[in-house]
Amino acid sequence: MTKCSRRNIFKLAGAGSLALLLPAVAMKNAGTAWAQDNALDPESPQAKALGYVAHFEDVDQAKWTRYQEGQICGNCQLAQGDVSADWMGCGIFPGKQVAREGWCNAWVARQG
Ligand code: SF4
């Protein structure tokens, strides 16, 4: 017969908590990996055509004169998904993730 001591109960609770936590950690890391794997390459022809950069400080302001301070993917109307996240979707670049602090020449002020 198994002895059900307080120590055994705490051991089981600890193992159960870990079992619940591990899949959540794995899913979070999988999401990050997916975003990085699908990150829009600023050197790709589509990105270059619109002057996309992964950080607004890299905008060539002599070439892309529409750029104005404060414009980032995170406040662009065309951004999709969680715009407070580091990476997000974009209606201009389907299947790719753009950086929250990125920018391209198609930037449109986000409404609301
Ligand atoms: S359209 Fe908007 S969200 Fe998409 S890359 Fe350009 S600035 Fe970023």
Side-chain angles (χ1 to χ4, degrees):
M1 185 169 169
T2 307
K3 190 174 172 186
C4 189
S5 69
R6 193 183 304 175
R7 176 181 286 181
N8 285 342
I9 290 171
F10 281 121
K11 277 184 187 173
L12 286 172
S17 298
L18 190 60
L20 291 173
L21 195 61
L22 285 176
V25 170
M27 285 177 65
K28 183 178 185 321
N29 289 340
T32 302
W34 183 85
Q36 289 169 347
D37 288 347
N38 289 286
L40 177 62
D41 179 0
E43 296 302 317
S44 70
Q46 300 91 337
K48 283 186 121 175
L50 285 172
Y52 171 79
V53 288
H55 198 278
F56 64 89
E57 288 179 345
D58 296 330
V59 174
D60 179 351
Q61 294 185 43
K63 182 174 183 181
W64 303 104
T65 56
R66 282 193 69 234
Y67 172 77
Q68 292 184 359
E69 192 176 328
Q71 297 177 350
I72 58 171
C73 293
N75 60 23
C76 173
Q77 182 67 28
L78 299 168
Q80 299 173 336
D82 181 1
V83 294
S84 66
D86 290 342
W87 295 90
M88 62 201 69
C90 169
I92 297 289
F93 302 107
K96 295 293 181 183
Q97 296 278 294
V98 295
R100 191 176 73 80
E101 296 194 333
W103 181 89
C104 90
N105 202 42
W107 184 90
V108 179
R110 191 168 192 85
Q111 304 301 308

